[in-house]
């Protein structure tokens, strides 16, 4: 929960580290007062980054603070998203919003490409005369004079860029501006990296929880490791398949109240899954009141046909034990089918 204020110290430490490693050596012209102002802005950005409930709120607050410190006319933050790593606008900021028009949010692709390729900040005092961008059609077309662009990156991965420019004046941005914006970009990248790690963790937790319903713990771990490395592939192998369902379940459903029948089904599923897991099988699916289990896939199971039969015998024994011991409100029987043969197993996309 990024709104938890207890997490602020993590970002305060990050701010202090950035101040020590980036800003102090680089900011020699502004004096102590200038440094204090920069530190205050950076600290406030750090709090905004950690405390904002959403990424949109975070980037909007950060951009507002950027414009309070840097004399830019327009600004935009773009995040890298999707398999094709497209740059998607997340926040557009204009110092004079009443003058803004849809065409004005475009950025110089020439400058952006250089920042992404080199992973370095770019500052230009007069972009139209800068030899680095002599071939930049977008710079000439948009009449960009001053421009400042920094990558948002952490641990070698670029998460996006922050871009500021001024169409009217040259020599608008200073080296201190570049240092400050670079530090802010680093802080935002930390938040973005944690967001992606949390999303990945949530996906893995959900997947693991779902797999645990159908597979024994060792199979779950195997599938998780293969999923993380992309190694879940199709293969043909000999397997044994077991089907087990409740005999005359339609009559039972008519006799019992819905809640009682649901409890009966859950008890049946629990005992069946326990017997299957105990013998090295895994549940392929639940079909109504039926359980389908597979032995010898995806893990090798020695004597898999015999273990499927053993699972069936244990299921029958447990159903009878519960019936004679008054463990079920209404005793029931089961149907079981077992077959061994060749099958194609794995992930079918």
């Amino acid at each position: 929960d990024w709104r938890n204020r207890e997490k602020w110290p993590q970002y305060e430490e990050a701010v202090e580290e950035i101040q020590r490693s980036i800003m102090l050596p680089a900011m020699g012209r502004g004096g102590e007062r200038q440094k204090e102002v920069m530190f205050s802005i950076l600290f406030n950005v750090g709090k905004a980054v950690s405390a904002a409930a959403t990424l949109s709120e975070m980037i909007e607050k950060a951009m507002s603070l950027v414009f309070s410190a840097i004399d830019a006319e327009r600004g935009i933050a773009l995040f890298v998203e999707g398999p094709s790593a497209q740059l998607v606008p997340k926040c557009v900021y204009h110092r004079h919003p009443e003058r803004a028009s849809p065409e004005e949010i475009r950025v110089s692709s020439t400058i952006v490409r250089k920042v992404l390729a080199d992973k370095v900040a770019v500052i230009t005092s007069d972009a139209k005369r800068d030899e680095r961008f002599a071939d930049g059609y977008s710079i000439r077309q948009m009449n960009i004079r001053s421009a400042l662009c920094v990558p948002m990156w952490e641990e070698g991965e670029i998460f996006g860029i922050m871009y500021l420019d001024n169409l009217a004046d040259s020599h608008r941005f200073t080296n201190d501006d570049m240092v400050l914006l670079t530090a802010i970009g680093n802080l935002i990248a930390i938040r973005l990296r944690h967001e992606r790690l949390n999303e990945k963790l949530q996906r893995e937790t959900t997947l693991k929880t779902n797999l645990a319903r159908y597979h024994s713990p060792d199979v779950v771990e195997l599938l998780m490791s293969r999923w993380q490395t992309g190694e879940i592939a199709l293969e043909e192998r000999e397997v044994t398949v077991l089907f087990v369902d409740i005999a005359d379940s339609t009559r039972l459903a008519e006799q019992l109240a819905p809640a009682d029948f649901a409890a009966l089904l859950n008890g049946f599923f629990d005992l069946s899954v326990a017997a299957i897991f105990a013998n090295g099988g895994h549940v392929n699916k639940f079909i109504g009141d039926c359980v389908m289990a597979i032995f010898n896939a995806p893990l090798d199971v020695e004597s898999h046909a015999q273990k499927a039969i053993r699972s069936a015998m244990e299921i029958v024994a447990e159903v009878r034990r519960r019936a004679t011991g008054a463990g079920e409100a209404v005793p029931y029987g089961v149907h079981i089918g077992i077959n061994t043969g060749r099958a194609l197993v794995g992930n079918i996309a």
Side-chain angles (χ1 to χ4, degrees):
D1 185 358
W2 291 102
R3 291 166 289 186
N4 186 348
R5 296 173 71 94
E6 294 179 359
K7 289 186 177 290
W8 284 10
Q10 301 174 13
Y11 290 92
E12 291 169 6
E13 292 174 4
V15 171
E16 293 172 359
E17 178 60 28
I18 290 172
Q19 290 171 348
R20 287 192 297 269
S21 62
I22 299 177
M23 297 191 70
L24 283 173
M27 296 173 56
R29 298 182 294 115
E32 292 303 318
R33 177 57 183 163
Q34 178 71 2
K35 291 178 183 178
E36 290 176 6
V37 172
M38 293 290 195
F39 291 168
S40 175
I41 293 169
L42 192 54
F43 180 76
N44 287 330
V45 171
K47 289 200 297 184
V49 164
S50 63
T54 65
L55 291 180
S56 296
E57 179 184 334
M58 178 268 295
I59 195 64
E60 288 173 6
K61 180 62 175 177
M63 190 66 82
S64 174
L65 290 166
V66 165
F67 269 68
S68 72
I70 299 177
D71 189 14
E73 184 179 345
R74 335 180 290 172
I76 186 168
L78 301 102
F79 291 176
V80 175
E81 292 187 354
S84 59
Q86 290 184 326
L87 283 174
V88 179
K90 291 298 180 179
C91 179
V92 177
Y93 205 97
H94 202 289
R95 187 171 296 281
H96 304 289
E98 70 279 1
R99 303 177 192 169
S101 65
E103 292 77 17
E104 288 185 300
I105 67 171
R106 292 182 301 163
V107 302
S108 167
S109 57
T110 307
I111 294 175
V112 169
R113 282 198 300 269
K114 181 171 182 59
V115 170
L116 292 175
D118 298 342
K119 296 186 178 67
V120 295
V122 167
I123 183 172
T124 177
S125 298
D126 194 340
K128 295 179 69 174
R129 295 192 174 124
D130 196 320
E131 294 181 357
R132 294 174 298 175
F133 312 122
D135 297 329
Y137 174 75
S138 59
I139 291 175
R140 297 193 303 274
Q141 185 185 43
M142 290 186 283
N143 196 35
I144 295 171
R145 301 299 294 270
S146 300
L148 175 58
C149 186
V150 302
M152 294 184 282
W153 71 309
E154 166 73 2
E155 297 290 333
E157 181 179 3
I158 287 190
F159 296 92
I161 61 106
M162 297 184 74
Y163 174 92
L164 308 177
D165 69 12
N166 193 292
L167 303 183
D169 299 329
S170 59
H171 302 279
R172 175 68 70 169
F173 304 119
T174 67
N175 185 66
D176 288 351
D177 293 335
M178 182 177 67
V179 172
L180 176 63
L181 193 63
T182 298
I184 291 173
N186 288 344
L187 285 176
I188 294 173
I190 291 172
R191 169 70 186 265
L192 294 175
R193 182 169 179 268
H194 278 275
E195 286 281 343
R196 293 191 182 180
L197 289 175
N198 284 339
E199 289 174 0
K200 181 181 178 183
L201 180 61
Q202 290 174 2
R203 288 196 302 270
E204 291 180 359
T205 300
T206 300
L207 177 61
K208 195 169 185 177
T209 300
N210 291 335
L211 288 173
R213 298 175 57 200
Y214 301 97
H215 305 283
S216 57
D218 55 345
V219 175
V220 170
E221 294 303 322
L222 172 68
L223 292 177
M224 288 298 297
S225 64
R226 289 185 177 179
W227 175 74
Q228 291 168 348
T229 57
E231 295 179 359
I232 299 180
L234 286 170
E235 62 175 321
E236 184 178 324
R237 61 161 63 203
E238 183 180 77
V239 299
T240 297
V241 180
L242 177 149
F243 288 92
V244 54
D245 70 353
I246 297 175
D248 205 8
S249 60
T250 302
R251 178 184 59 81
L252 290 174
E254 292 172 348
Q255 285 182 339
L256 298 173
D260 293 335
F261 185 66
L264 183 146
L265 276 178
N266 286 333
F268 165 68
F269 290 149
D270 287 344
L271 69 89
S272 299
V273 169
I276 292 165
F277 283 2
N279 289 283
H282 77 267
V283 175
N284 179 266
K285 63 184 69 177
F286 297 98
I287 313 167
D289 65 330
C290 174
V291 180
M292 174 183 173
I294 298 179
F295 296 77
N296 203 41
L299 293 179
D300 293 333
V301 177
E302 187 177 353
S303 304
H304 51 88
Q306 290 85 341
K307 290 186 177 178
I309 294 171
R310 186 182 304 162
S311 296
M313 295 173 64
E314 291 176 3
I315 292 171
V316 171
E318 181 61 16
V319 168
R320 288 176 176 171
R321 187 193 68 78
R322 294 189 180 192
T324 57
E328 299 289 351
V330 176
Y332 61 87
V334 293
H335 298 143
I336 296 178
I338 299 174
N339 187 61
T340 298
R342 304 290 296 180
L344 191 65
V345 298
N347 184 44
I348 301 178

